[in-house]
Amino acid sequence: MHSIIIFASGRGSNAQAIIDYFRNTGKAKVSLIVTNKADAGVLEIARYEHIPFLVIDKQTFKEALFIEQLQEYNPSLIVLAGFLWKIPDAVIHAFPNKIINIHPALLPSYGGKGMYGHHVHNAVIADAKEESGISIHYVNEVYDSGNIIVQARCPVHSNDTADTLAQKIHRLEHYFYPRTIEFILNHP
Ligand code: GAR
C-alpha cells in the first residue's frame, strides 16, 4: 500500500478527489495531510476522513523535525494541492523525485511566486487567452519550474470570470491529479 502525503493550504477539493479516488483500492492511501493554515478547509476533510494532520507555521517551523515527521509516514509521493508555501530545499533533497505539484495554468506561463488561484485566472483572462489548463509537475528549488508530467487544456471564453474559469480548472484537476498520481506510483 503506497502512502501519500498531501500538502494543502485551502479548501482541499483536490485532496478530497485524491482521497476518494484511492478509497478502498488497496493501492494507496492518504496517510497524512499537512497545512500551513489552522483554518484551512482541508482540515475539515482530514477530520471527517480520520486522516492524521499536521499544522505548520513559520514561527515554530523546524526543517529537520518536519522532515522526520514526514519520514514517519514513509511516503511514496508528497502531493502539493494548493499549498502556498515554497517547499524548503532541504525537504526537496530529503524526498528526491517524490514531490509533485499541480498548477492551475499551462506552465511555463502564469507561474512563479504570487501566482496562485484567482491571481492566475485573472491574469489569463486579462490577457484574453483562448485557452488555459493545468500542469502537474515535479517540484524543484524554483517555483513552478520542475519537469512537467501532464498538462490538460480547457477553453477560455470571453464571458469567463475567474470563478467560472476556476470551476473548469478544478474539473480538470479532479480528473487528472488522482490518475497521474496512480500512474507515477505504478511507474516508479
Ligand atoms: C487548485 O486550483 C490548485 O491548482 C491551485 O490552488 C487550488 C487549490 O484548490 N494551486 C495553485 O495555485 C498553486 N500555485 P483546492 O484547495 O480546492 O484543492
Side-chain angles (χ1 to χ4, degrees):
M1 175 81 98
H2 287 287
S3 160
I4 298 170
I5 299 180
I6 295 182
F7 287 22
S9 304
R11 187 161 66 98
S13 70
N14 278 285
Q16 186 72 64
I18 294 163
I19 294 163
D20 291 344
Y21 186 81
F22 289 105
R23 195 189 304 282
N24 303 326
T25 59
K27 281 189 203 164
K29 69 166 190 179
V30 176
S31 54
L32 177 70
I33 290 179
V34 175
T35 187
N36 61 318
K37 288 226 163 88
D39 60 351
V42 73
L43 284 179
E44 280 169 40
I45 295 174
R47 290 192 186 98
Y48 183 80
E49 299 282 354
H50 303 290
I51 296 172
F53 58 85
L54 186 60
V55 181
I56 54 179
D57 78 279
K58 284 245 154 75
Q59 313 305 322
T60 57
F61 185 73
K62 301 254 184 326
E63 220 166 62
L65 173 64
F66 183 58
I67 291 169
E68 270 176 36
Q69 288 171 316
L70 298 177
Q71 278 164 343
E72 276 175 33
Y73 291 86
N74 192 24
S76 297
L77 215 51
I78 294 176
V79 171
L80 313 190
F83 186 66
L84 301 182
W85 273 20
K86 189 169 182 305
I87 304 298
D89 289 358
V91 176
I92 295 173
H93 299 150
F95 299 98
N97 283 319
K98 282 192 178 173
I99 311 181
I100 63 171
N101 180 43
I102 193 160
H103 187 76
L106 296 170
L107 292 173
S109 300
Y110 304 105
K113 194 168 161 49
M115 288 303 262
Y116 60 89
H118 276 36
H119 297 289
V120 175
H121 306 314
N122 281 325
V124 169
I125 289 168
D127 287 349
K129 292 287 176 192
E130 290 183 354
E131 67 174 11
S132 189
I134 63 167
S135 305
I136 299 171
H137 64 92
Y138 285 102
V139 170
N140 66 11
E141 293 83 348
V142 182
Y143 260 122
D144 297 328
S145 71
N147 288 341
I148 292 172
I149 306 160
V150 165
Q151 291 188 308
R153 287 156 201 275
C154 63
V156 183
H157 298 125
S158 54
N159 61 351
D160 265 320
T161 62
D163 280 343
T164 60
L165 182 52
Q167 281 169 20
K168 291 185 210 177
I169 293 289
H170 269 114
R171 274 198 291 276
L172 287 179
E173 292 184 331
H174 298 164
Y175 182 83
F176 282 100
Y177 214 8
R179 287 164 179 81
T180 303
I181 291 167
E182 183 177 40
F183 181 87
I184 295 169
L185 293 176
N186 288 338
H187 300 83

